């Protein structure tokens, strides 16, 4: 089963959801506004790509940049959990494996 994590009003998430729906790809949507990711999930995302799943060009990150730069891993997890709009969206998982952060045409196309 495919899981997509994101925020419903995010344009990139809307684009990703539309793509999956138009191509009849079944998925479960996990709304960050209703379900905060666990520490285990956040660490898993970091492990998958070697970096935290944050959008470093986003407004939220720019406001918190100094906090992120000064934080240890535990503090980064707290910053992400408390400021979910900092997460690069959507996060796509299949069978517990993280496939991508953001809308990656190649990854999404491989699901069709």
């Amino acid at each position: 089963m495919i899981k997509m994590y994101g925020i419903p009003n995010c344009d990139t998430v809307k684009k990703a959801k539309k793509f999956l729906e138009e191509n009849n790809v079944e998925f479960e949507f996990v709304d960050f506004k209703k379900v905060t990711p666990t520490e285990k999930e956040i660490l898993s995302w970091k492990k998958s790509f070697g970096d935290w799943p944050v959008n470093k060009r986003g407004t939220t990150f720019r406001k918190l940049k100094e906090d992120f730069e000064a934080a240890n891993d535990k503090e980064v997890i707290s910053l992400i959990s408390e400021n979910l709009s900092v997460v690069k969206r959507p996060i796509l998982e299949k069978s517990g494996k993280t496939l991508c952060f953001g809308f990656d045409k190649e990854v999404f196309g491989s699901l069709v």
Side-chain angles (χ1 to χ4, degrees), residues 2-50:
I2 294 171
K3 268 189 180 182
M4 182 190 319
Y5 296 83
I7 297 172
N9 63 346
C10 169
D11 289 340
T12 308
V13 170
K14 287 178 188 177
K15 177 180 172 180
K17 284 176 80 173
K18 182 179 178 183
F19 178 90
L20 294 177
E21 289 165 353
E22 286 178 349
N23 288 284
N24 298 314
V25 177
E26 288 187 40
F27 66 96
E28 174 188 352
F29 182 71
V30 181
D31 182 350
F32 282 154
K33 296 289 185 185
K34 296 178 181 175
V35 179
T36 301
T38 65
E39 179 177 337
K40 183 179 175 182
E41 288 170 322
I42 295 169
L43 285 171
S44 164
W45 297 332
K46 180 185 184 222
K47 183 179 178 185
S48 294
F49 290 94

Side-chain angles (χ1 to χ4, degrees), residues 33-77:
K33 296 289 185 185
K34 296 178 181 175
V35 179
T36 301
T38 65
E39 179 177 337
K40 183 179 175 182
E41 288 170 322
I42 295 169
L43 285 171
S44 164
W45 297 332
K46 180 185 184 222
K47 183 179 178 185
S48 294
F49 290 94
D51 200 3
W52 298 107
V54 297
N55 178 3
K56 294 180 180 175
R57 292 182 285 163
T59 308
T60 305
F61 179 79
R62 288 191 307 249
K63 289 179 186 174
L64 298 169
K65 185 177 181 189
E66 290 179 15
D67 294 336
F68 271 94
E69 289 172 348
N72 62 36
D73 284 0
K74 193 90 167 154
E75 293 165 336
V76 170
I77 292 167

